[in-house]
Structures are given as C-alpha cells and as structure tokens.
Amino acid sequence: MAIIEVVKFDGPGDVFAWKYPNEELGTWTQLIVNESQEAILFKGGRALDSFLAGRHTLSTANIPFLQEIVNLPFGGRSPFTAEVWYVNKLHALDVKWGTATPLQLQDPKYQIIVSVRSFGQFGLQIEDARKFLLKLIGKIPLFDKDAMIRHFRGVLMMNIKELISSYLVFKKISILEINAYMSEISKHVEERIQPIFAEFGIRILNFFIDSINIPDDDPATVRLKEALAKRAEMDILGYTYQQERTFDTLEGAAKNEGSGSANVMGAGIGLGMGFGIGGAMGNQVSGLAGQMNVGGGYNKACPRCQTMNRQDAQFCISCGHNYAAAPSAEEVACSNCGKTFPVGAKFCLHCGDPNNACEKCGADNPEGATQCAKCGQAIGGVACRQCGTKVSDPAAKFCPNCGTSMALKCGNCQHEVKPGQKFCLECGTKLIE
C-alpha cells in the first residue's frame, strides 16, 4: 500500500471532529492543519502528538511521542501506521434546542396546570481537543452538530425543565409573566451546564432562551386569558365581578314577564347580602320593586316604620313587621283626649299628644307609663347605663344595643341587687338615699 504524502481536512464547518480515513503514514509526510483546526496523532488508542495550524513534516523531530512507541529510525522514509484526527475549534453559534413535549407545570399565581414549551439556541467551541476526542469520539469516524445535540440533549432538557419550574414556584411568577425573566433564566442555565460540557473539553458560548410559550389550544390557558381580559375590562369600567353578576340577575328578572316584584326583590337582596353590598343594593331593589308596581298598589302603611307596602303583603319590605302576627284595629283611642286616630300615627290628630304605642297591642298610653293600660305589657323599661337605650323587658340581662350588663350591682361588694332595694343583702351598704 502506498504511503500517504499529504494529509489535510477541508470539510464543512459543522463537523467538530473528523478521522483521516487512511492510517498508512510515513516520515516526511506533509500534515496540513488549517486555522481553527488541531490535528492529533493516535497510536494504539493513545493520543500522542498534536499539531496546530500550519504545514508540518512528519519526522522524528516533531513526533517525539510516536518515536518512543514505534522507534522510528533517523533519516530516510520510514513507514508506520497511526490515526490522524482533525478537531474543528471554530465558534459554532447556531446550535438550536427545544422541548420535544410541553412541560406540565402549575401556575403558582392562578393555581392552574399549564403546558409550557421552550426553545432557543447556544454556541460552543472545542477548547481541549485531546479531552474531547478521548471522552466523546471513540470509534465514530465523524462527529458533527447533530451528534453533539443528540449527546447533550438530556443534560439541556433536565436543567431547562428544572430552572423554569423553580422560577415559577419559588419566585411566585405566573407563566404569563415569565418572558420578562428569560435573560436571567438563560444565564442560570448557562452557568449550570458549563461545568458539564467542560468535562468533555467544550466551552458554552451565549446560551439563549428565545421563547417560553403556551400552546394556543391549551384549554386552561384560554380560560385564564379570558378571565384576565374580563377583569381588565371591569377595572376600566369601575365595577367588580360580584356587581356584574348582580346586574345580570336583575336584568334577567326584569325581562322575565312571569316574575313578580317580590321575586325580583328577594333575588336582589339575597345577592346583595351574599356579596357584601346588601344595604345599598337592598334599597335600590326596594325602589325598583316600588316603581314596577306589579300585582297591586303600594298603599298599605307599616304600623312600625310607616313604609308603604302592597295590600296583600304579609311582611313589611323595610323592617319585616308581621301583619298576621299582630293584627290591630284601623284606629286607636288617644290616652289624652279620648278621640281616635289612625294606627301608626306618631301624634294624635286632635290634641297633638305623642303616641306612646304598646308594642304588643298597639294601644296608646300616657307619657311615662310603665305598663300598658289595655294588655298590661311593660312600656319604656330601664335605661342602659352605657348607651341610654330603653330596655322594656325586665328580665333582660344585657342591653340589646351595646351588650352592657343590665344587672344592678352593689358599689361596695359588686353583689347583684334588685331594683328599688335600699340596702345590699350581702354587705349591708346603703344603696338609695
């Protein structure tokens, strides 16, 4: 077999390592190494001599390690067998990567499961040709960009999945906001994988994450985007989701010809109480029911609060007074002049005496009366020491307005005493002058 005269490699730039196909060499062979290349001689699986850019004549002077193994003689043309590997040390900046399948992550802000995809690119350079060949190549005659991606895809995907997940979980960032952190995530991924690639003689250059996105047809993401768009619309218009639901309910009830005003009122007040807008909404719905005037006129006055109700109403729409539980005559007699005036009036129409109505039977009683002259029900009661509210029930232990205890106590020993008692039965202290 003829001895090779010239050895060189002019292959494509995406090839990182290439083995010269013929191993029959000899001294005085011309070894040509281009810029950004490095050639290494192998013998018996061992990396011996390396050559940088330039033209090299293989001789006993420049292949000392091979000389030790083969024992080449000095002078003349000496044949020998050895492998020549070329390593391309150019900067490859267009190595692309991407997630083969979407990542299933839980959004920490909205607590929904979303599918996330990511892709980008990075650059690399063979920094240590000897280490690269010994650890990666083996018996492969050619190692290009596709082989590089196949070998390191698992390392890339493991770190990318871990870092994206950690940013979502530990920094409480929604998946809809994570694009603002891509530069920071890219830097962290590069720092994480740099030592791994360095073990194989490779240096990572400019790792980039081009996009972290969600599939357009993901149902959870579609609902989330719709909800956020709706919230933005309500913020612009100046109302909340609960108010919008209340308005929709009232609008639907108003359009339903079969519904009465009582149903509309009940629905409105129920929603108002449930959503924290009971007072204002209750008044609005009451007014609405009065304006609709469905099923009869509002001309029945409540004897307690004077609010006008429908003729067939059983309860007052304002204070809840039960018409059926406390029926009363149309008029009552004045305790001062004896003439009658309408039930619920605050003053007598004839003499102007205030109406001191009994809560049980509605009869008028004189000012200062403590007991109803008609039914015997207690009137007025004892004033609360804290807020001054009249408590008519003599058995009441606490004020219904402020909760203060109504029990009378001795100022000396704090023992409970009865109304009108002159001396404390416990310590004998005088109570009333």
Side-chain angles (χ1 to χ4, degrees):
M1 184 178 292
I3 298 176
I4 303 302
E5 300 289 341
V6 177
V7 177
K8 66 177 181 176
F9 170 59
D10 296 322
D14 61 348
V15 175
F16 295 107
W18 176 77
K19 176 185 175 183
Y20 191 76
N22 201 327
E23 299 180 7
E24 296 295 330
L25 303 175
T27 54
W28 309 112
T29 298
Q30 299 297 303
L31 180 64
I32 300 175
V33 183
N34 296 328
E35 291 290 343
S36 75
Q37 291 180 351
E38 183 175 348
I40 299 180
L41 289 181
F42 277 77
K43 179 69 175 178
R46 291 177 57 189
L48 301 175
D49 301 287
S50 63
F51 302 88
L52 300 178
R55 177 184 290 267
H56 305 274
T57 301
L58 299 184
S59 64
T60 56
N62 61 10
I63 50 175
F65 291 107
L66 188 62
Q67 168 71 23
E68 295 176 3
I69 296 177
V70 181
N71 193 20
L72 296 175
F74 291 93
R77 186 182 297 273
S78 303
F80 63 91
T81 59
E83 297 177 7
V84 179
W85 279 91
Y86 280 89
V87 176
N88 186 357
K89 304 183 77 172
L90 277 174
H91 290 186
L93 302 177
D94 58 344
V95 182
K96 295 181 173 57
W97 62 267
T99 53
T101 57
L103 314 178
Q104 299 299 320
L105 303 175
Q106 183 177 17
D107 191 300
K109 188 173 184 179
Y110 302 105
Q111 303 301 318
I112 64 172
I113 303 298
V114 293
S115 300
V116 179
R117 296 179 302 192
S118 182
F119 59 89
Q121 67 181 37
F122 64 95
L124 55 85
Q125 181 192 22
I126 309 302
E127 197 169 40
D128 190 330
R130 187 183 297 266
K131 185 185 294 186
F132 175 72
L133 290 175
L134 291 176
K135 289 202 170 187
L136 272 183
I137 304 305
K139 295 295 184 180
I140 304 174
L142 184 144
F143 195 89
D144 57 6
K145 185 189 299 182
D146 294 334
M148 181 75 73
I149 295 175
R150 287 195 304 270
H151 276 72
F152 292 98
R153 178 182 296 276
V155 176
L156 286 173
M157 292 302 101
M158 178 186 68
N159 285 277
I160 289 171
K161 292 179 181 179
E162 178 186 350
L163 285 173
I164 292 178
S165 302
S166 64
Y167 262 80
L168 286 173
V169 175
F170 296 112
K171 291 200 172 184
K172 305 296 182 182
I173 299 171
S174 170
I175 190 61
L176 301 180
E177 304 168 348
I178 199 170
N179 283 331
Y181 297 85
M182 285 197 300
S183 176
E184 187 176 346
I185 298 176
S186 300
K187 183 178 179 181
H188 279 286
V189 174
E190 181 176 343
E191 293 175 353
R192 179 72 63 85
I193 66 177
Q194 186 72 262
I196 301 174
F197 279 79
E199 293 181 4
F200 299 91
I202 303 171
R203 183 163 65 98
I204 296 298
L205 307 169
N206 302 327
F207 186 93
F208 292 112
I209 297 177
D210 293 334
S211 176
I212 299 176
N213 57 67
I214 307 171
D216 295 333
D217 56 350
D218 182 55
T221 308
V222 171
R223 292 195 299 270
L224 176 59
K225 290 181 178 179
E226 290 176 353
L228 292 176
K230 188 66 176 178
R231 186 177 70 177
E233 178 185 353
M234 290 188 293
D235 289 342
I236 295 173
L237 297 177
Y239 61 89
T240 64
Y241 173 78
Q242 291 85 352
Q243 290 173 330
E244 182 194 26
R245 296 294 298 158
T246 303
F247 299 150
D248 292 343
T249 302
L250 292 177
E251 182 180 3
K255 292 180 179 179
N256 187 357
E257 297 180 358
S259 64
S261 61
N263 294 334
V264 177
M265 176 191 67
I269 293 178
L271 286 169
M273 292 176 65
F275 295 132
I277 53 174
M281 188 57 65
N283 294 335
Q284 294 174 3
V285 177
S286 298
L288 174 63
Q291 295 175 6
M292 292 174 64
N293 197 16
V294 179
Y298 283 75
N299 51 15
K300 183 179 180 180
C302 172
R304 181 179 296 176
C305 65
Q306 305 303 314
T307 300
M308 303 304 293
N309 295 271
R310 289 175 50 182
Q311 286 294 333
D312 57 351
Q314 296 183 2
F315 297 91
C316 175
I317 61 175
S318 180
C319 67
H321 172 71
N322 188 348
Y323 286 100
S328 59
E330 294 293 330
E331 293 185 343
V332 294
C334 176
S335 61
N336 183 44
C337 65
K339 297 182 179 180
T340 60
F341 56 87
V343 174
K346 295 183 178 181
F347 297 90
C348 176
L349 302 178
H350 306 284
C351 66
D353 182 65
N355 181 16
N356 188 21
C358 174
E359 293 183 359
K360 183 176 181 180
C361 66
D364 181 29
N365 289 271
E367 186 72 21
T370 59
Q371 189 175 9
C372 178
K374 185 176 180 181
C375 65
Q377 174 72 17
I379 299 176
V382 180
C384 173
R385 298 188 301 273
Q386 182 68 23
C387 63
T389 302
K390 293 284 187 177
V391 182
S392 59
D393 187 359
K397 295 183 178 181
F398 297 93
C399 174
N401 184 47
C402 66
T404 302
S405 175
M406 297 297 297
L408 298 177
K409 295 184 179 180
C410 171
N412 183 40
C413 65
Q414 299 300 313
H415 186 74
E416 185 174 348
V417 298
K418 301 294 183 180
Q421 190 173 325
K422 295 184 178 181
F423 295 92
C424 175
L425 300 179
E426 185 71 16
C427 63
T429 302
K430 186 175 182 181
L431 301 176
I432 302 176
E433 292 292 333

